[in-house]
Structures are given as structure tokens and as C-alpha cells.
Amino acid sequence: MSRAPRALRLTGLLASTVLLTATAAACGSDSDSAADSDTKASQDSAAGAFPVTLAHKFGSTTVKSEPRRIVTVGLTDQDAVLALGKVPVGTTEWLGGYKGAIGPWARKDLGGAKAPTVLKDSGTGPQVERIAALKPDLILAVYGGLTKAQYESLSKFAPVVAQPKEFNDYGVPWQQQTEEIGKALGKSAEAKKLVAGVEDKFAAAKKEHPEFAGATGVVATPYEGTFVFGSQDPRSRLLSDLGFELPKDLDKVIGDEFGANISKERLDLLDQDAALWIAPDTTSSVKKLHADKIYGDLDVAKQGREVFVKETSDYGNAVSLSTVLSIPYVLDRLVPQLAAAVDGKPATKVENPAS
């Protein structure tokens, strides 16, 4: 997956509790003592979660004890790690432009910790030697596409949790990604709570916009023609989680991939109630698409049922990541755009968010 379609590649340091505990003991207040008890209970709970065994594409991996030096090879796994209160020592760059590969929607979860070392994967696989130098005790590749050889190479240094076998590479849903990482970190209950919180946001959006239920939608990008994302891609799941239905024969056309380029003869796949375009920009890209006679003649284009998101913006990056931390950021922007696209009034302009 190269950066180009934002999915063709799409593309640890812990805050010490010792000082906090010592300070609380010195103060000796009842409330602080209660907080210490809660912290200890949480730590004891995490310790009791190990060993834990996680199944994946290449078999299973056992994490014997609570990991403290985590490296994320999965291109979006860092968000779930941060949301669960840990900071990776290494992350893998996909989108670029963010210190530590931490987007603005996740920065508060970094707190005052040192930003992770950023690793790169130019398409030849993880940087094994650099990963080994970080001395990890856990390597996460849940949202990833490791080969068996890469998995075996990384497993020489630390337990590796690879992508789930029941989904395409780079196709794990954000819910399962969060919960799998939660298990690996000994924080299953916390992970389920995080997932429930984001699912509540989807439920609220669907309640506010009943018109989304049963409406059809598709996600595409103008990469080397027209690249359409399949049902297992996280971007498409944004629409389906909001109640939209994807084209019935989408996966038949895409095949066993997260997405694929389609021919001009299949541009009919784009003629839905809403088309979400992840584009290089929201001006010239629109003009170029509409200049194509086949696409420009589709009702989705003529009736203004399109949503354009600049792929290199924070918003575009958050859409591409589609994680437990980035999705709330996305919904605040995407839901009003989709509502405008499917209101049945061609005159309604789909406004771009201010930021």
C-alpha cells in the first residue's frame, strides 16, 4: 500500500506512576489514597490478564507479561495504544507530517511523554534492524499486511500480533483492532469501553439523521484513474457504520483486496446517493472529475451528491486512519457533509469544514 491512495499503503515510554504514588503517600489525603487504590487495582487487573494468547493470520502469539516497550508496525495501531494509556517506543510512518506519527486527534493522549521513534516502510517491509534496536517486548501489526517471512523475522525479537486472518490485509475493523490491542496490553475492559463510546457517537449521528438508513454510498479516490474502496476498508466502514449501504456488487468488482482501480465501464459503481471522494484537493480535482464525460453525466455528480475531502489535510488523514481516536474527529466534519449530500436538494452545497 503506497501513500498515493492513502491506503494503497494505506500507510514506549510509559508515564511513571512511581513519583505520583510517592507524592500521594506524602500528602496522605483520603481522596489521594483512593486514587492510589484505583491505580493499583488497575495495575493488578492488567497483571492478571497475562499470559494472553491472540490468534492471527499466521497462527497465534502469546504475550507473557505486561508489555512496556511497544512498537507499532500496523499503520494505525498507535492510536489504540495511546487511547489505552500507553505510549509506543516506535511507530510506523504512513501519512507523514506528524511528530512521532501522532495526529492532532491523538496528541492529548501522548501527554508529556517523549514522542515515539518513527520507522518507515517504503514498500519492502518493516525496518527489522531499527525495530530490534528499540528492544521491543511487543510488536503490533494489527492494521497491517505482514508477509509470513516478515512475521517470522520480527518474531525473533519480540512477540508479534499480526493482522486477523478473517479480514483482508489492512481491512481489520477499528472495533476489533482496538479490542485486539486491548487484549495484548492487558486492558480488555478499557478497550471495550472505548469502542462502546465511539459506537455511541455513531448511534447518535444515525438517530439525528434517519435519512442515512438505507441510503447508498461509496468511497473513492482519483488515483491512477478511479480507485474504489471495498467493504472491508475502514473508510467504507465509516459509511456503513452510519447506516449507508455499499453497492451490492462492490466486492465482486474489487476482489479480495481493500480496494482496486475500476474501468470506465464500471463507473456506475459511483452513482450512489452519496460519493465520498478522498482527493488531492477540493478544487482542481473536482473540475477534473466533472470534465470526464462518463462520470460527469452520472446523477451523483449532476445532483451534487458528492463529498470531497482533501487527502493530505488533518481531516483527510483522520478519515484514512479511521481509528478509535480519529473517528470522533471525523464524524464532527463528515456527518454534516453527508447530510447535505443526501437531502434530496441538488441546490444544497456540501460545505467543506473550516478545519
Side-chain angles (χ1 to χ4, degrees):
M1 291 186 15
S2 73
R3 174 185 167 85
R6 318 253 338 141
L8 288 198
R9 180 59 158 180
L10 214 122
T11 155
L13 296 175
L14 287 170
S16 173
T17 60
V18 176
L19 180 59
L20 293 176
T21 304
T23 302
C27 293
S29 73
D30 291 341
S31 60
D32 286 347
S33 296
D36 287 348
S37 297
D38 290 343
T39 298
K40 186 177 185 304
S42 177
Q43 291 171 339
D44 290 345
S45 176
F50 299 99
V52 60
T53 299
L54 298 99
H56 52 71
K57 185 175 183 178
F58 305 116
S60 64
T61 294
T62 297
V63 183
K64 295 181 179 179
S65 59
E66 183 179 358
R68 300 188 180 279
R69 296 187 61 82
I70 304 158
V71 171
T72 58
V73 171
L75 299 181
T76 68
D77 292 350
Q78 66 271 21
D79 277 14
V81 175
L82 288 166
L84 289 164
K86 290 183 177 282
V87 178
V89 293
T91 53
T92 300
E93 183 178 80
W94 168 28
L95 303 174
Y98 298 129
K99 185 177 181 180
I102 307 299
W105 50 86
R107 210 162 286 144
K108 63 178 175 54
D109 294 273
L110 183 63
K114 179 181 176 182
T117 296
V118 176
L119 307 161
K120 297 183 183 295
D121 180 351
S122 60
T124 58
Q127 294 177 296
V128 176
E129 292 183 0
R130 289 197 67 199
I131 292 172
L134 291 172
K135 299 181 180 179
D137 53 18
L138 178 65
I139 298 172
L140 295 171
V142 181
Y143 181 79
L146 288 183
T147 65
K148 183 70 179 295
Q150 290 166 352
Y151 168 75
E152 291 176 345
S153 180
L154 291 172
S155 294
K156 295 176 182 178
F157 306 106
V160 180
V161 180
Q163 63 268 32
K165 63 181 179 180
E166 61 265 40
F167 302 103
N168 296 339
D169 290 354
Y170 304 102
V172 61
W174 65 270
Q175 296 97 323
Q176 183 162 344
Q177 175 192 36
T178 305
E179 293 187 7
E180 287 295 292
I181 291 174
K183 291 177 187 177
L185 301 185
K187 293 176 173 284
S188 289
E190 293 94 326
K192 290 181 183 296
K193 186 175 181 180
L194 286 169
V195 168
V198 177
E199 287 183 334
D200 285 346
K201 293 183 182 297
F202 277 107
K206 289 192 288 186
K207 184 177 181 179
E208 185 177 355
H209 297 282
E211 68 272 21
F212 291 172
T216 59
V218 67
V219 186
T221 187
Y223 173 74
E224 295 184 352
T226 302
F227 187 97
V228 177
F229 296 100
S231 66
Q232 288 195 25
D233 186 82
R235 282 148 290 209
S236 293
R237 286 198 178 98
L238 284 172
L239 294 185
S240 54
D241 284 349
L242 284 168
F244 284 80
E245 294 180 0
L246 301 175
K248 288 183 172 58
D249 57 346
L250 176 63
D251 287 343
K252 183 178 180 181
V253 176
I254 299 303
D256 188 24
E257 300 290 343
F258 64 89
N261 285 96
I262 60 173
S263 65
K264 286 189 176 292
E265 289 74 22
R266 288 315 318 262
L267 287 180
D268 61 291
L269 279 174
L270 302 172
D271 203 16
Q272 307 299 326
D273 293 323
L276 171 57
W277 283 95
I278 302 172
D281 59 67
T282 57
T283 52
S284 61
S285 293
V286 179
K287 293 177 181 178
K288 185 176 180 180
L289 279 168
H290 289 182
D292 181 287
K293 180 170 176 54
I294 297 176
Y295 177 76
D297 280 345
L298 296 177
D299 286 341
V300 70
K302 291 192 296 184
Q303 296 179 12
R305 303 199 302 254
E306 305 154 299
V307 173
F308 287 93
V309 177
K310 184 178 179 181
E311 65 175 353
T312 56
S313 65
D314 289 340
Y315 178 25
N317 289 337
V319 168
S320 289
L321 261 73
S322 290
T323 65
V324 69
L325 288 182
S326 76
I327 287 173
Y329 179 96
V330 169
L331 293 181
D332 287 344
R333 294 156 176 77
L334 180 60
V335 169
Q337 289 183 300
L338 289 171
V342 301
D343 72 348
K345 302 174 183 177
T348 301
K349 183 180 179 181
V350 179
E351 299 286 353
N352 294 322
S355 62

